[in-house]
Amino acid sequence: MTPRASATSAVRSPPAPLTPSWQPSRPLRCTFVAWDRYGRFVADCSRAEGRSVASWLVENGQALDWPSYSQGAYAPQQARAEAAKIGLWAGDFEAPWVWRVEHAEKAQPAISQPLGIVGGRQVAQSYSCQPRRTCSKISPCDEAQWYLGNCPWGGKLDRDGDGRACETLC
């Protein structure tokens, strides 16, 4: 970490709590966008009423617009947050992608296995753990296996514990 982006500065000035108008929403819909260079699932998520989660987070200083993925889609929201000095903008920091470039020699993947793994391969999909599914509501085997490996309730799809979800499909 650099002096400008230290863990202690994050502790001294934590982001503002979520406003009452931003309460948990069900269902939350996420659509696959890409895999990042660390193998992480990048998605565009929206709330039940259609409001973009990313837009709200950037506008309230809880996240940064990452132009490599958004092509600057959230630049206006970020400019407003920066001008108002809210959330992350209340203090000094260095954008993570800038910091990574300066410390590229030490770069390590953040995770070893991304979401969206089916049968040892990455699958571009738009499945979601919400709402909970049953075998009768799932059609392709790949979808059932994705739920098994990625959702907290996925184990219920493998009644005999053999690692295959919804045996009638797979």
Side-chain angles (χ1 to χ4, degrees):
M1 288 192 172
T2 66
R4 294 179 62 202
S6 69
T8 56
S9 67
V11 172
R12 281 196 307 259
S13 59
L18 299 180
T19 63
S21 64
W22 191 265
Q23 295 300 317
S25 169
R26 298 214 191 269
L28 182 68
R29 178 173 293 285
C30 295
T31 305
F32 176 82
V33 173
W35 297 103
D36 74 3
R37 70 183 188 150
Y38 295 103
R40 295 174 296 198
F41 183 90
V42 177
D44 183 23
C45 299
S46 58
R47 294 168 45 92
E49 77 279 0
R51 179 129 190 240
S52 166
V53 174
S55 177
W56 186 91
L57 289 169
V58 172
E59 187 172 342
N60 287 279
Q62 306 293 312
L64 299 175
D65 177 27
W66 196 331
S68 294
Y69 293 101
S70 72
Q71 285 75 50
Y74 308 107
Q77 293 90 333
Q78 183 163 296
R80 286 192 296 272
E82 186 175 6
K85 297 199 178 299
I86 59 174
L88 294 165
W89 300 103
D92 292 326
F93 67 93
E94 190 169 29
W97 49 90
V98 173
W99 187 89
R100 285 188 194 111
V101 168
E102 294 172 359
H103 298 84
E105 294 175 8
K106 301 173 190 167
Q108 296 284 327
I111 58 173
S112 60
Q113 184 176 8
L115 290 178
I117 297 296
V118 176
R121 61 186 169 85
Q122 292 181 349
V123 177
Q125 42 61 37
S126 59
Y127 304 140
S128 170
C129 291
Q130 295 294 333
R132 185 175 176 169
R133 307 264 197 261
T134 60
C135 289
S136 63
K137 303 289 184 195
I138 300 170
S139 56
C141 181
D142 279 354
E143 181 181 2
Q145 288 302 116
W146 187 90
Y147 292 132
L148 176 64
N150 294 290
C151 298
W153 48 264
K156 301 226 183 256
L157 301 175
D158 181 15
R159 292 188 179 176
D160 60 6
D162 67 354
R164 284 183 26 213
C166 303
E167 276 80 4
T168 57
L169 292 174
C170 301

